[in-house]
Amino acid sequence: MAIIDARALPDASLLEADLVIIGGGLAGITLAKELAGGALKVVVLESGGREMEPETQALYAGACVQKADGNKDRPLDAYPIQSRVRALGGSGHVWGGKCGPLDPADFAERAWIPYSGWPVSRETMQPYYDRACDLLEIDRFPLERPNAADPNLQPLALDAKDGFFPAPRVFSRISGRANRLAFDRFRTTFAEAPNIDVYLYANVVRIRRERNTISGLDIACLDGKRHTAKAKRYVLATGGIENVRLLLASDNLGNRHDLVGRFFQGHLTYSNDSDTQREGSAFAASRAGPLDLYAPAARYGDHCVIGAGIAAQKRMKTGNFTATLFRANFSNADPAVAAETQTISKASAQLDKGQARSNLLGFFAMTEHFPNPDSRITLDPDHKDALGMPRIRLNWVHGRKDYADLEKTIGGLANALGASGEGRLCWSLRPDELLASSNASRHHMGTTRMHDDPKKGVVDANGRLHEADNLYVAGSSVFPTSGIVNPTLTILALTIRLADHLKSAKKAA
């Protein structure tokens, strides 16, 4: 029906609905879109306004430190603010639009990876991925990718037994960075439905519970006004960090087994952009022709990354991994070092293909961040925000297996490329400098993990909190494992699945 400024309401207003969605980011908006025009009266509570504002964004401030075995700790206190957006549309304001589904291996229970396995399968998720693609106006991702006819889009001829494959990545225009008009329509037009109300500047600071039932929400505005919201059911969709913060600040809600906030997972990219002693990370392709399938001319063009499928992971006892190739100008400050890299590239082309020309590309690696109970979010009772909410502390931990598997998989890919005659990898990072050389993504996963057993997960397969019969959690915080792709498409697919569950529960009632 409308987008309403909660600051304009009379103080102590009561907002009532069949369903209250806490959070107006991509998950909350997708859920509201799926329910728009239906029988449920829906209220969406968004902390921010239509755009980012410093006072609201400051509510995200907290502390963060990254840790990895054999590496120096890296403080990242700016990360809790810089990696998120507190406004209608959430981090969609800064999301680049990259999309891809999780691989079948990501859903599987892998005996060599503790805490792996989802209570849903990749096949079960396919129809929800299809609908999420339609919502984002991109082509669907079939379980089996068809071969392209274009000779410039042919995959590397790697032995299938090695288990590496081309994993597709596409870009949606429904993004604040890609197409502002399309993004603005996406995040506002759903509120025109007669059963939807969106309240801006409405910060939920407490979830109230009576036994196993959520009885209401306390809402605070930065101008001092306070409101309440009541509904039959609630969905928490404030992101992988803030979901934890609100649950813990609400008398440790959902944390009977000390799982809320644990298993934080975030994606890092690893590369060496070169220095005066070493050339950067590079792929010396033996074929002279274009590799447009992997490295298109357009920076944000649809492409494939080299992925490690379940066969590769099982063979090496490693996790998921991708190598992203890109067109690069290798102009090292040390001409001798650059010349050596070019010599390696030409030599591989001569040896593998019997040709003088080669194709030198840059690449960066991403590796699955394994579920780790010591990687966690806790509250800092000594530091509170302007609304009196305790700030968060993120202890972002990579265990020994994370980096051991990164090194092992890069070696496995290098062997597969060489054995197939497709090229050579140049990788010059030492294990003790991996953390310092990495770049952190804005992906926050795993902190309210999904599992059928309440002793092993915070929510069930439908996203319902094990400790409350009418509270659900949406977003990447429910991911049991992180995979190795931007989580947005999977967030939307899981949210669409949740919408179907809520609608079917309404009909059953």
Side-chain angles (χ1 to χ4, degrees):
M1 292 172 62
I3 298 178
I4 303 160
D5 188 332
R7 299 171 302 182
L9 298 173
D11 196 23
S13 290
L14 172 62
L15 311 179
E16 294 184 286
D18 295 312
L19 177 73
V20 171
I21 302 171
I22 308 167
L26 291 179
I29 289 172
T30 296
L31 183 58
K33 280 179 171 288
E34 290 294 310
L35 301 175
L40 293 172
K41 180 182 178 182
V42 178
V43 161
V44 179
L45 301 175
E46 166 54 44
S47 166
R50 291 175 182 261
E51 309 298 333
M52 274 197 296
E53 299 174 24
E55 296 82 6
T56 304
Q57 196 69 11
L59 298 173
Y60 273 152
C64 174
V65 61
Q66 283 184 310
K67 299 180 179 181
D69 187 70
N71 286 247
K72 293 181 179 179
D73 291 357
R74 182 163 70 164
L76 283 178
D77 286 344
Y79 183 78
I81 289 182
Q82 292 179 349
S83 65
R84 303 179 284 171
V85 175
R86 203 168 177 124
L88 185 63
S91 295
H93 284 266
V94 294
W95 174 49
K98 184 183 284 189
C99 295
L102 289 173
D103 299 329
D106 297 322
F107 293 89
E109 183 176 352
R110 294 161 285 173
W112 57 96
I113 300 176
Y115 308 106
S116 62
W118 289 49
V120 295
S121 68
R122 175 66 176 82
E123 291 75 15
T124 300
M125 289 299 299
Q126 184 62 38
Y128 304 107
Y129 273 128
D130 288 346
R131 289 163 61 184
C133 289
D134 296 346
L135 190 64
L136 291 173
E137 301 176 11
I138 58 175
D139 290 339
R140 294 178 173 184
F141 294 90
L143 280 170
E144 298 295 331
R145 181 176 173 82
N147 294 324
D150 188 334
N152 291 333
L153 295 177
Q154 296 309 303
L156 295 166
L158 303 180
D159 191 330
K161 293 180 181 178
D162 288 326
F164 293 97
F165 72 103
R169 304 289 187 262
V170 304
F171 289 85
S172 170
R173 71 189 190 109
I174 311 297
S175 145
R177 286 173 55 184
N179 187 316
R180 188 70 195 190
L181 289 177
F183 177 65
D184 284 345
R185 286 194 295 270
F186 181 89
R187 69 189 180 111
T188 58
T189 55
F190 73 95
E192 297 171 4
N195 64 317
I196 305 285
D197 280 325
V198 178
Y199 291 89
L200 304 180
Y201 304 103
N203 300 276
V204 176
V205 294
R206 184 180 178 85
I207 302 172
R208 295 198 173 273
R209 170 177 53 174
E210 295 179 4
R211 295 183 180 179
N212 292 332
T213 301
I214 304 306
S215 57
L217 308 173
D218 293 351
I219 301 168
C221 302
L222 281 170
D223 67 354
K225 286 185 177 178
R226 298 291 185 268
H227 309 300
T228 55
K230 290 184 179 292
K232 297 175 183 176
R233 288 177 292 180
Y234 304 81
V235 175
L236 178 58
T238 57
I241 297 175
E242 222 57 16
N243 282 350
V244 171
R245 186 185 185 192
L246 188 51
L247 288 172
L248 293 180
S250 301
D251 295 328
N252 234 20
L253 180 60
N255 202 29
R256 182 177 301 152
H257 298 289
D258 192 26
L259 294 173
V260 174
R262 292 190 183 273
F263 300 99
F264 176 87
Q265 296 153 69
H267 292 142
L268 302 180
T269 62
Y270 302 90
S271 65
N272 178 20
D273 294 330
S274 82
D275 54 32
T276 56
Q277 281 76 43
R278 299 173 294 177
E279 183 58 278
S281 49
F283 169 49
S286 298
R287 62 173 73 178
L291 281 167
D292 291 349
L293 178 67
Y294 300 94
R299 181 180 179 186
Y300 294 107
D302 296 350
H303 63 282
C304 284
V305 297
I306 304 173
I310 189 64
Q313 295 178 42
K314 189 173 183 178
R315 176 173 57 85
M316 297 183 290
K317 296 297 183 285
T318 57
N320 210 336
F321 163 93
T322 59
T324 300
L325 310 182
F326 58 92
R327 302 184 186 199
N329 179 22
F330 288 86
S331 55
N332 194 285
D334 186 334
V337 175
E340 288 176 0
T341 302
Q342 293 289 347
T343 299
I344 293 171
S345 177
K346 292 176 181 178
S348 66
Q350 183 66 41
L351 289 169
D352 295 336
K353 304 292 185 184
Q355 59 191 25
R357 292 182 59 201
S358 62
N359 198 348
L360 190 60
L361 300 170
F363 93 94
F364 62 82
M366 293 182 69
T367 186
E368 179 178 359
H369 183 193
F370 296 126
N372 184 339
D374 294 329
S375 185
R376 66 182 303 195
I377 297 165
T378 56
L379 298 185
D380 184 352
D382 296 327
H383 295 86
K384 298 183 178 182
D385 66 16
L387 298 173
M389 288 277 289
R391 297 195 182 279
I392 63 100
R393 290 181 296 214
L394 171 55
N395 194 45
W396 187 348
V397 178
H398 287 74
R400 180 172 299 178
K401 182 173 172 60
D402 288 286
Y403 282 177
D405 280 21
L406 172 61
E407 294 284 317
K408 188 185 295 185
T409 309
I410 288 174
L413 176 58
N415 289 338
L417 289 166
S420 66
E422 285 286 13
R424 302 292 188 274
L425 283 183
C426 298
W427 180 255
S428 56
L429 285 173
R430 299 190 308 268
D432 64 349
E433 59 185 6
L434 285 170
L435 186 59
S437 302
S438 67
N439 289 305
S441 71
R442 298 186 180 97
H443 310 159
H444 317 129
M445 300 162 285
T447 50
T448 63
R449 66 195 327 260
M450 180 192 302
H451 202 285
D452 289 331
D453 185 347
K455 294 181 180 179
K456 296 180 180 180
V458 178
V459 302
D460 67 13
N462 291 316
R464 185 182 65 81
L465 202 74
H466 282 300
E467 293 182 24
D469 53 22
N470 62 337
L471 175 62
Y472 295 80
V473 181
S476 53
S477 69
V478 307
F479 289 17
T481 54
S482 66
I484 200 63
V485 65
N486 184 297
T488 304
L489 186 67
T490 302
I491 291 172
L492 268 59
L494 284 172
T495 302
I496 291 169
R497 182 172 176 269
L498 172 58
D500 283 1
H501 172 75
L502 293 171
K503 286 185 281 190
S504 64
K506 169 69 174 177
K507 291 179 180 177

